[in-house]
Amino acid sequence: ETGVTQSPTHLIKTRGQQVTLRCSSQSGHNTVSWYQQALGQGPQFIFQYYREEENGRGNFPPRFSGLQFPNYSSELNVNALELDDSALYLCASSDLTSGGASEQFFGPGTRLTVL
Amino acid sequence: DQQVKQNSPSLSVQEGRISILNCDYTNSMFDYFLWYKKYPAEGPTFLISISSIKDKNEDGRFTVFLNKSAKHLSLHIVPSQPGDSAVYFCAASSLRGGSQGNLIFGKGTKLSVKP
């Protein structure tokens, strides 16, 4: 069973640029959630994708967007980068079944630094 | 306003003794709770969960207790081992309305288990 993988592991961008982060979900999982973790904070929910559709969104501006592909892998895109976007971006996969509880399994994260 | 609070940023325990990590929440809609462990440079690892229909769930050395009236949960680790040293995050979600994706995390408690 393959776990959740993310790429790249580290990334440095400058303010105003755009970035794409990638995530491959765990085998058998149909749902991907993205989180932002700032230093000293817990992860904050950005959005979730279930079967290629957005299935919930946190309090993040529209310049944070995402995609899920038929193989359930996912991308997080951030436009017009700001200094405060510097954080660890975590992807989590799960098997979302109707009415059921499902643990989310996290990847190692992508460390984004915006200069 | 933080909906999930871990009021102790750090905890130090002797090897072999019990570690008790606490978590409080404010949103009465939360009905599913999880604990994650995080080592530096890795993503959070799922430890144990509990649904609001239970007040206790046990898995090996890890036990989670839920007190719904007090909106409080705790994670007990017995016996504590040096390898348990990590940051522990409490997370909560509401299964109602299909919003399983939106895990709300606390800020974490750094546990140090000393040999």
Side-chain angles (χ1 to χ4, degrees), chain A residues 43-108:
Chain A
Q44 270 198 292
F45 177 70
I46 303 174
F47 43 57
Q48 181 187 71
Y49 279 83
Y50 169 60
R51 294 186 175 175
E52 303 177 61
E53 297 284 335
E54 188 177 289
N55 185 46
R57 188 180 182 93
N59 190 24
F60 281 81
R63 58 189 186 85
F64 285 78
S65 63
L67 280 174
Q68 189 180 30
F69 300 100
N71 66 354
Y72 302 128
S73 66
S74 177
E75 285 183 356
L76 164 65
N77 298 290
V78 187
N79 292 323
L81 283 167
E82 300 178 359
L83 297 179
D84 283 350
D85 295 334
S86 295
L88 180 68
Y89 287 84
L90 295 161
C91 163
S93 76
S94 56
D95 182 14
L96 190 65
T97 55
S98 176
S102 176
E103 295 82 25
Q104 295 185 20
F105 296 87
F106 284 82

